[in-house]
Amino acid sequence: MKYNEIRKTFLDFFESKGHKIVPSASLIPNDPTLLFTVAGMVPWKGILQGTEPAFAPRVADVQKCIRAGGKHNDLDEVGFDGRHHTFFEMVGNWSFGDYFKEGAIEYSWELLTKVLGLDPNKLRVTTHETDEESTEIWRKVAGKEAIRLGDKDNWWSAGDTGPCGPCTEIFYDFGADIENEDDRWVEIWNDVFMQYDRDANGNLSPLPKKNVDTGGGLERWAALLQGKIDNYETDLFQNLMTAIENVVGVKKTAENTPSFKVIADHLRAVGFAVADGVIPSNTDRGYVIRRILRRAMRHGQILGHKGALLSKLYPALITEMGEAYPELAKEEKHVVEIIQNEENAFADMLQNGMKLLENEIPKVNSNVLPGEVAFKLFDTYGFPLDLTQMILRDKNIDVDVNGFEKAMSEQKERSRANTKGTKTLWESQTQLEATDDSSKYSPDANMQSKVLAILRNGDFVNEADAGDEVEVALDKTNFYGTQGGQVGDSGELKRDNKTIMNVSEASRVDNVVIHKGVLTDKIKVGDIVTTVINQAARQQTTRAHTATHLLQAALRHVLNEDVEQRGSKVSPDSVRFDFSFGRAMTAEEKQATEDLINKWISSDMNVSHEEMSLDEAKNKGAMALFGEKYGDTVKVITAGDVSCELCGGTHVYHTGEILHAKINKEKSISSGIRRITMSVGTLAE
């Protein structure tokens, strides 16, 4: 039975049992804790945990998944055995408070033995050592005596607390002639019974609604149904490998089979991920896909192939899997373009870096490449450490990883020293109390403040004179210090209604707000001054920051939902917004984005400013910057029903206050990262 037949047979069976058949969810999960959809239960996590209502009592699907890393799926192992994959399909049927243990076990056994025709004598089952009910059901349904195992093998939980329960697993026996027990006994099915809620003390209490969560790997099913031990010997992979032979011009042999496996597997991972909107980049899920793509290209080069590879193979992926996943063909032009761009960038990087590596290899002592050389490859040519290790592995050469990390740390220290200016000097003032800047959202609330410290020419002084360029720390301020991409306020410090300092920018060093500028009169530590913000500049910055949120929402609407912010600078005179996207925007896309922003501006939507717990913000659906650290209490900015983000910046209260927005330029700043500059307010008009 071929892949497409198995997939259809599974869905048809459960449809006949009253299940609602749903298409696979995206590989990009609606879960900030995950980079990818890693299991069939991910799309149903909210229902299974009781935080979302079930849309049907019983459901079945075939879910596309990506796992690239972890002890059970190490990327380096993919291609060198018959079971590891980065991309795989997980079949599953789900009961949301409907049938429970008996129904799930009966369906599993009927499907595997009656419908798919597996030999019952080849199947073994396990249950949790406390689960007498499931053990007895197996005796009744299949005449099987279950193997009783503990929590490590037959207990599922979402974490230390919350929904949990026992599970029962089905294993297929590939034969006594296979010496390795892990290869002989292969798990092909798992029924999870969520029936308890575990509290912080480890106590279990019955859930009011019991759920069934099942799963099986389609690749494993195809292998056993086609009489194969190696997943890569099944029809889908063999057809992909024939396509690889045609592209690289080399026949598959016993010696080069690992490279064929790597390319076939990685084609699926990269192709499906990009079709779902993932853009190869240097961070997050984009980095995982970039790493997988480059690993495939490297194995193409091992086969003697030069130039584009996965982009040429993508049509073969559509041929094999496009019927089950129509998004592959729908996004073909977009996917091929992004993969080609990435392949071209990688080819240039590899050519330049290999020259250095080839010069250094003859100098290697004790088969270990010095860490500083590996770092130079990374710093100068963009070679990730794992790519260098992969290239050298074929030559039996290791990399001094500790030396690499030391060089990396030293570079960070140099960068920190070069870019932070006087930051380290302020950090040395450990006795300095944090600035009370709670009034930064009330720019018209001028306040009396005390001068706590003065920095002049790299030294802290007790007083400074007119004409001196200084940095001043106050006990409290209503100036917004540069943070979160928003530039700090400008304005004045006054004494007795007389300006004594023109503040060019307020910045932050940890919890201290620093006022930078030039004195027009004498100032000393202990003076009482009045803080006065440049209201026009603050108003324009506030417009720009809310417009930036609208820009991100518009890009996700016009381009795709996976567009993610990669940096921004919000200032009174312009907006700079960096985002993940694999190609130049068309003139039509730029105009559509600008028109959508101005539509939202003219509708004068309400913009709410709310403080809440981080958990409440996540439940509200607020977007956050990946990798950004947030406190227990966060500020959420919501513009109508189009934008909801965690943000500590200053914002308007109605979108109409922005007046107008104008996209000035869109360009590439690195592979997979684009930059938009935009004017807002009176500057845009």
Side-chain angles (χ1 to χ4, degrees), residues 280 290 293-294 338-347 671:
R290 170 170 285 172
L293 186 151
R294 291 180 173 182
I338 287 178
I339 295 177
Q340 282 179 336
N341 290 341
E342 188 68 18
E343 288 175 330
N344 292 337
F346 176 71
S671 179

Side-chain angles (χ1 to χ4, degrees), residues 75 78 244 247-248 258-271 280 288-313 336-351 354 383-384 386-387 390-391 394 671:
L75 180 60
V78 174
I244 294 169
V247 169
V248 303
S259 291
F260 275 84
K261 288 182 175 181
V262 167
I263 296 169
D265 172 89
H266 292 7
L267 168 64
R268 297 209 303 167
V270 173
V288 175
I289 296 306
R290 170 170 285 172
R291 183 184 177 197
I292 292 172
L293 186 151
R294 291 180 173 182
R295 188 169 186 263
M297 287 193 69
R298 178 59 185 160
H299 278 275
Q301 292 173 337
I302 291 173
L303 295 173
H305 179 71
K306 304 295 183 184
L309 178 61
L310 297 189
S311 57
K312 290 184 176 180
L313 289 169
V336 169
E337 183 179 16
I338 287 178
I339 295 177
Q340 282 179 336
N341 290 341
E342 188 68 18
E343 288 175 330
N344 292 337
F346 176 71
D348 292 340
M349 180 201 76
L350 191 64
Q351 181 179 4
M354 285 301 294
F383 262 50
D386 60 326
L387 175 62
M390 184 175 74
I391 293 171
D394 297 335
S671 179

Side-chain angles (χ1 to χ4, degrees), residues 6 35 54 97 101-102 257 277 313 374 379 382 428 443 555 567 589 612 619:
I6 300 169
L35 289 181
K101 293 181 181 180
E102 186 165 9
T257 289
L313 289 169
D379 193 42
S428 69
L555 287 170
E589 288 169 336
M612 60 186 70
N619 292 335

